[in-house]
Amino acid sequence: MKRLSIYAVSALVATALLLPGCVSNKKYRSLQANYDEMQRKEQELNKRYQDAQQQLSSVNTQVKSLEDRIASERSNVAALQDALNKCLTSSNQGNVNISKLVDEINASNRYIQHLVNTKNKSDSLNLVLTNRLTRSLSREEMQDVDVQVLKGVVYISLSDNMLYKSGSYEISDRAGETLSKIAKIIMDYKDYDVLVEGNTDNVPISKPNIRNNWDLSALRGSSVVQALQENYGVDPKRLTAAGRGEYNTIASNASESGKTRNRRTQIIITPKLDQFMELIDKAPESEPSTDTAVMPADTTMVLPIEQP
């Protein structure tokens, strides 16, 4: 590396603080400046992580909202259908003008279908992305890579044994081929943002240049982000590096196998929130009725309701 490693900088700063008489003031100030710069970068990294978490939470909230809206529209259609049938079967109504009611039912059906199509489009893209990635990975790679789609978001989980050198946040040589395949998928889906999130087990880190598992997880996420940018040309504006330390477990840390599962890095691929909301808001326009439908009161009509 062209600049001092974090380990070297921290070690030198610590030495300088303990033995100020052993180094010149100029060198001491340089070490202190490097240490301050590390602190600033860490704060910036934490802020980007918080922003990414908020965006991911917003995406999950919007998916849930979309599902609730679909359910609400279906209930509305059922109520309108029931009201229409009551009007048509009432013996003392005479002739009933039902044109407006029919239009409302048809408009609700169209909007339901629009919402369903929007959700299906997002789900289909995620399915294609997942299938392409899993087909490109070898059997050996699949032992260290887990791909899932949860609530409209693609999660690619990579084991630390495959990604990093032992006890380090530096990318191992054998991880390069796998990351290149993931990078190709990311490059092909340019409308998706990418959050790279490091996770650890609960064993305290014992490296002089890494204070705790928060540091280690964040540094590992940052290493993958920089590899995607520098080695494979992924637009850095789409990337966010983050770390969740030991607090996002998927297994118990009471066993070695559980700790192994918890030591992972997740590449989380999400649709851009603003584009997703545009799809939802582009509801189909209702078709105005030009004729008035008048039917006898003793006639019962059941309108077909489209099902997604």
Side-chain angles (χ1 to χ4, degrees), residues 158-165 170-172 175 179 224 265:
L158 308 171
S159 70
D160 72 327
N161 291 333
M162 183 269 291
L163 265 182
Y164 309 108
K165 297 178 181 178
E170 294 184 23
I171 303 293
S172 67
L179 282 179
V224 174
T265 296

Side-chain angles (χ1 to χ4, degrees), residues 7-8 14 31 33 104 133 135 155 168 170 183 205 269 273 294 299-300:
Y7 175 86
L31 291 172
E104 289 181 4
L133 177 58
R135 284 199 302 267
Y155 291 81
S168 171
E170 294 184 23
I205 188 72
I269 304 175
L273 186 59
V294 180
T299 302
T300 299

